[in-house]
Amino acid sequence: MDSAHVSALEAKHAGIDRRLAEETRRPMPDSALISALKKQKLKVKEALASLVR
């Protein structure tokens, strides 16, 4: 397990989470963007899970 890679993925996951939160707080959130961000976040989460095992 490469801890630098894990740290980078965790940072990316947190960044996507922040972008999701910002978009959902907007008066007229872009549902397509929210969907795309959720998919990205899931892919990063899956990559993290496969590294941590």
Side-chain angles (χ1 to χ4, degrees), residues 27-43:
M28 300 221 15
D30 182 347
S31 59
L33 177 59
I34 290 172
S35 178
L37 288 170
K38 285 181 178 182
K39 287 177 185 176
Q40 288 177 19
K41 186 176 170 186
L42 180 59
K43 285 183 181 182

Side-chain angles (χ1 to χ4, degrees), residues 7 9 12 19 30 40 44-45 48 52-53:
S7 295
L9 285 173
K12 186 172 184 176
R19 289 176 59 200
D30 182 347
Q40 288 177 19
V44 172
K45 184 178 179 179
L48 273 168
V52 173
R53 288 183 187 168

